Amino acid sequence: TFKTYTEKDGLPHFRLRAMIQDHEGNTWFGTTEGLSRYDGQSFTTYTKKDGLPHDQIQTLQQDNQGNVWVSTLEGLCRFDGKTWISFSDQDNLVPRLVYTIFQDEDSNLWFGTQNGVWRYDGKVFQNMLEQDGLSGNAVSAIFQDRDGTLWFGTNKGVSRFDQPTPVSPSVVIESIIADRRHQAEDNVVIPDSTSLFVIEYHGISFKTRPGGLVFRYRLKGYDQQWYTTRAVKIEYQDLPRGNYIFQIQAVDRDLAYSDIQTLTFMIEPDPQVEALTQALNQAGSAGKFIGESSALKHIQEQLGSVAVTNLTVLIFGETGTGKGVAARTLHSLSPRKAGPFVQINCGAIPEGLVESELFGHEKGAFTGAVSRKLGKIELAKGGTLFLDEIGDLALDAQVKLLHLLEEGIFERVGDTASLEADVRVVAATNRDLEKMVAEGRFREDLFFRLQVFPVRLPPLRERQEDILQLAMYFLQRMAAHLNKAVTGFTSEALSTLNSYGWPGNVRELEHAVQRAVIVCPGPVIRAEDFAVGSAGEESPVSGPFLSLEEVERRHIHEALEQTGWTIKGPAGAAKLLGLHPSTLRHRMKKLGLIRS
């Protein structure tokens, strides 16, 4: 007696493609419109909505672990009783359509496809084609005889496969490419400013055709599982700081595994970025404004308001007004304060290298580009990029900077791939950009893009009430640096400070006080210790302006000459300079002072 089952009884479709019975006695029906499981009383249907790659079923098989394997028109999947898991080219299974599924005596699964036969051991898919000896690439039938020999029915005949004696392949890790190319040695240290990591390797096998090896890999500390690939390099993007172990093994066509090779490396804070940030934070007025004038308070309110946004800020003002301090203040008050603060002086870089410094370059981009170099935009990732002297930026670079500000993307020199910029831009200038726009020396569209939030820093002559407080601050810092007991100013010195015009603004005041601390013979600074004139006058010093280090060197040398190079004692140079003898010796060593 026949009993017929159709859609009325629960089947997805009346057209059947495959049937199996599982270990629990349930019958599975693969149709052109889905998959059904029949427990003797009712049908349970599974379709693409439940996790199948496609509703049209090609073939079915259950392995000895109880998993049901389903081949569909758009790929292969496995059902463990709870979850559907699909397999694709990410698992190294290239063909979408599987004609037949078979499990051998060793529990390996074999899949006949239009692209040869594929074998799966629970970890890796590996395949064999005509070039490996198979009679044809379209495999539609597989079975194993009593002797353990596997037979494959193909579009060009029948092939018999005698299991060979396994010979393990090997794998060699060649290098890791990050900030530069590193040899495959353990404990490689890579700066966290690197965004792309590439690990290169190659496999060796005497039984597998070139390109036929599969590699199984993972990055401990980052990857949650093992992955497979046929590529000979692995790329990782934006790895966080920490210690990592890269593990890899080669798998040949017979599913013989190599020993696992490892490479350990560490991602640490970029010393260049940290050193630059530290140097900037220690420079000038240590990254903060000094004073209580209304003009200064207005600037601080402006900076505080815009710091919490991601707007581009243009800081302008005369030389020495503290544009770098303002930029660091913005960074320290912003949500990006934990990121790097990277500064580039647009006027101090040769015109031909500006783009490379800003955007970076690829190896071979120009003569002398022997390796990839990351630009300041990438180094400032997650932080602030300070473009000082923006008025000196070359016109070609202005075009690319405008593209960065408008689109948030950029390209390294010598590369066409667009990279996303995660950076807040702050620019500064002491030039009249509007005049430069009128003269054609600065792009008008870039000017307006930078002018989103302009901040003008007042000159020191507009902050007259801040001069004494600034001077005392610079005195205390310089005296502590020299370990010299200088505590204040004479009334004449204070009068000089208040009456002078300070055309060089805060920077000139700082240098004048630093020099005065060096040359003053006693505990207080006198008017004659300042190398400045009266109100509105230029400094009386003629000839080239000396650096503070040179002034200090000459002053200490003069003291040593006067004391016959005696350092200690009542008549020694240390007493004359108001320094501790050990401090004087340290300064002499640093300045290179040696008795001739």
Side-chain angles (χ1 to χ4, degrees):
T1 302
F2 287 93
K3 179 174 175 54
T4 300
Y5 298 90
T6 65
E7 296 99 323
K8 296 177 182 178
D9 306 288
L11 279 175
H13 197 271
F14 63 84
R15 185 172 296 152
L16 269 290
R17 303 299 300 268
M19 296 185 293
I20 62 167
Q21 187 174 46
D22 64 25
H23 300 161
E24 297 176 353
N26 300 309
T27 307
W28 294 74
F29 301 97
T31 77
T32 57
E33 296 293 337
L35 176 70
S36 275
R37 181 179 61 186
Y38 181 62
D39 61 5
Q41 294 182 346
S42 61
F43 291 88
T44 302
T45 299
Y46 302 95
T47 65
K48 193 172 181 179
K49 295 179 180 178
D50 302 295
L52 291 174
H54 195 274
D55 287 341
Q56 181 169 317
I57 309 303
Q58 178 68 28
T59 189
L60 301 171
Q61 180 64 278
Q62 185 178 36
D63 62 29
N64 53 22
Q65 282 81 40
N67 300 306
V68 175
W69 292 79
V70 182
S71 167
T72 76
L73 194 63
E74 288 294 329
L76 180 72
C77 62
R78 183 183 69 195
F79 183 61
D80 61 6
K82 296 180 180 179
T83 307
W84 291 97
I85 300 174
S86 295
F87 297 88
S88 64
D89 54 357
Q90 293 182 352
D91 306 287
N92 200 42
L93 179 64
V94 176
R96 290 184 176 181
L97 186 59
V98 175
Y99 298 137
T100 184
I101 307 172
F102 178 79
Q103 188 168 36
D104 65 21
E105 295 173 351
D106 298 321
S107 298
N108 294 315
L109 283 163
W110 295 80
F111 303 91
T113 77
Q114 78 273 27
N115 246 353
V117 63
W118 294 72
R119 178 164 47 173
Y120 181 64
D121 62 356
K123 298 178 181 177
V124 173
F125 286 93
Q126 185 56 289
N127 78 318
M128 288 182 284
L129 300 164
E130 283 188 42
Q131 59 199 99
D132 299 298
L134 199 64
S135 56
N137 283 336
V139 179
S140 57
I142 307 171
F143 89 99
Q144 189 171 31
D145 63 23
R146 296 186 183 94
D147 298 326
T149 300
L150 285 156
W151 296 79
F152 304 104
T154 80
N155 61 325
K156 294 183 180 180
V158 177
S159 293
R160 186 184 72 186
F161 182 63
D162 297 315
Q163 296 277 22
T165 302
V167 178
S168 297
S170 60
V171 63
V172 177
I173 302 175
E174 297 174 347
S175 59
I176 177 170
I177 305 171
D179 56 322
R180 58 183 176 85
R181 183 181 292 274
H182 299 269
Q183 294 300 315
E185 300 174 350
D186 280 342
N187 301 319
V188 173
V189 178
I190 299 169
D192 63 354
S193 57
T194 305
S195 60
L196 178 66
F197 301 80
V198 181
I199 301 173
E200 298 179 327
Y201 49 84
H202 69 270
I204 303 170
S205 172
F206 295 102
K207 304 190 69 174
T208 306
R209 68 182 183 277
L213 284 174
V214 174
F215 298 96
R216 188 167 173 262
Y217 71 93
R218 71 171 175 176
L219 185 60
K220 290 187 69 175
Y222 186 78
D223 291 330
Q224 299 299 315
Q225 63 185 40
W226 287 83
Y227 296 94
T228 57
T229 183
R230 290 184 184 271
V232 292
K233 64 180 181 180
I234 300 296
E235 296 184 357
Y236 289 95
Q237 292 271 359
D238 300 321
L239 291 175
R241 297 175 185 176
N243 298 325
Y244 297 92
I245 302 176
F246 178 72
Q247 297 176 304
I248 189 167
Q249 58 184 158
V251 186
D252 70 7
R253 68 162 203 176
D254 299 322
L255 292 180
Y257 288 70
S258 73
D259 292 334
I260 296 175
Q261 297 298 313
T262 64
L263 173 68
T264 64
F265 61 93
M266 294 161 282
I267 299 179
E268 297 183 348
D270 190 327
Q272 293 181 336
V273 175
E274 284 208 328
L276 178 59
T277 302
Q278 182 180 7
L280 287 171
N281 286 336
Q282 292 176 348
S285 57
K288 60 181 180 180
F289 287 104
I290 304 298
E292 297 180 357
S293 64
S294 58
L296 182 60
K297 288 180 179 179
H298 176 65
I299 291 301
Q300 290 172 322
E301 289 172 0
Q302 282 187 296
L303 294 176
S305 298
V306 74
V308 296
T309 73
N310 205 37
L311 293 177
T312 301
V313 177
L314 176 63
I315 303 169
F316 60 97
E318 297 178 8
T319 299
T321 51
K323 293 183 287 293
V325 175
R328 287 190 293 276
T329 300
L330 269 173
H331 176 72
S332 65
L333 295 175
S334 76
R336 294 174 171 268
K337 61 183 178 182
F341 178 87
V342 178
Q343 177 176 344
I344 182 170
N345 188 325
C346 301
I349 305 171
E351 184 172 338
L353 296 178
V354 172
E355 291 185 32
S356 173
E357 286 293 316
L358 269 176
F359 307 106
H361 65 248
E362 294 290 342
K363 180 180 179 180
F366 50 83
T367 303
V370 296
S371 62
R372 171 186 285 177
K373 176 184 176 180
L374 301 185
K376 293 297 191 294
I377 293 170
E378 286 181 85
L379 292 177
K381 182 177 181 180
T384 301
L385 176 66
F386 176 40
L387 301 176
D388 199 8
E389 305 297 344
I390 189 70
D392 295 329
L393 191 64
L395 286 171
D396 289 343
Q398 290 180 28
V399 176
K400 291 192 174 183
L401 178 60
L402 177 64
H403 182 61
L404 169 75
L405 295 175
E406 291 183 337
E407 305 296 334
I409 57 176
F410 68 99
E411 296 83 34
R412 297 192 192 104
V413 177
D415 192 11
T416 57
S418 294
L419 302 174
E420 187 174 347
D422 178 17
V423 66
R424 197 254 186 91
V425 175
V426 177
T429 185
N430 62 355
R431 295 193 176 200
D432 186 343
L433 293 186
E434 288 190 79
K435 182 179 179 182
M436 293 180 66
V437 168
E439 295 172 349
R441 293 185 294 127
F442 199 85
R443 292 184 62 93
E444 184 178 33
D445 46 8
L446 178 58
F447 171 68
F448 288 126
R449 190 64 182 77
L450 291 170
Q451 279 268 93
V452 174
F453 195 96
V455 175
R456 175 187 175 271
L457 297 187
L460 190 55
R461 60 183 175 273
E462 296 180 13
R463 299 171 49 196
Q464 192 76 20
E465 58 266 52
D466 292 334
I467 291 177
L468 296 183
Q469 189 174 347
L470 279 165
M472 182 57 69
Y473 176 78
F474 295 140
L475 179 151
Q476 292 170 349
R477 289 189 65 207
M478 193 62 180
H481 174 66
L482 297 176
N483 194 20
K484 189 173 181 181
V486 180
T487 58
F489 302 92
T490 65
S491 57
E492 292 82 5
L494 292 176
S495 177
T496 299
L497 289 172
N498 282 319
S499 60
Y500 183 58
W502 301 111
N505 294 296
V506 178
R507 185 180 301 157
E508 183 184 9
L509 173 63
E510 180 179 13
H511 291 174
V513 173
Q514 287 175 336
R515 180 190 181 280
V517 172
I518 293 172
V519 302
C520 73
V524 291
I525 294 176
R526 305 164 303 173
E528 55 265 35
D529 295 326
F530 288 118
V532 296
S534 59
E537 295 180 1
E538 296 295 328
S539 169
V541 180
S542 60
F545 194 79
L546 300 178
S547 67
L548 287 173
E549 185 175 286
E550 183 59 28
V551 172
E552 184 180 2
R553 180 184 289 107
R554 294 188 182 189
H555 186 64
I556 292 177
H557 184 270
E558 182 181 350
L560 290 168
E561 287 292 326
Q562 289 183 17
T563 58
W565 287 76
T566 301
I567 295 175
K568 296 176 66 176
K575 180 69 173 178
L576 184 62
L577 293 168
L579 300 175
H580 191 277
S582 61
T583 302
L584 177 57
R585 290 191 181 95
H586 172 74
R587 300 303 300 167
M588 289 171 62
K589 182 178 180 181
K590 182 176 180 180
L591 296 169
L593 287 169
I594 302 174
R595 187 173 189 178
S596 57

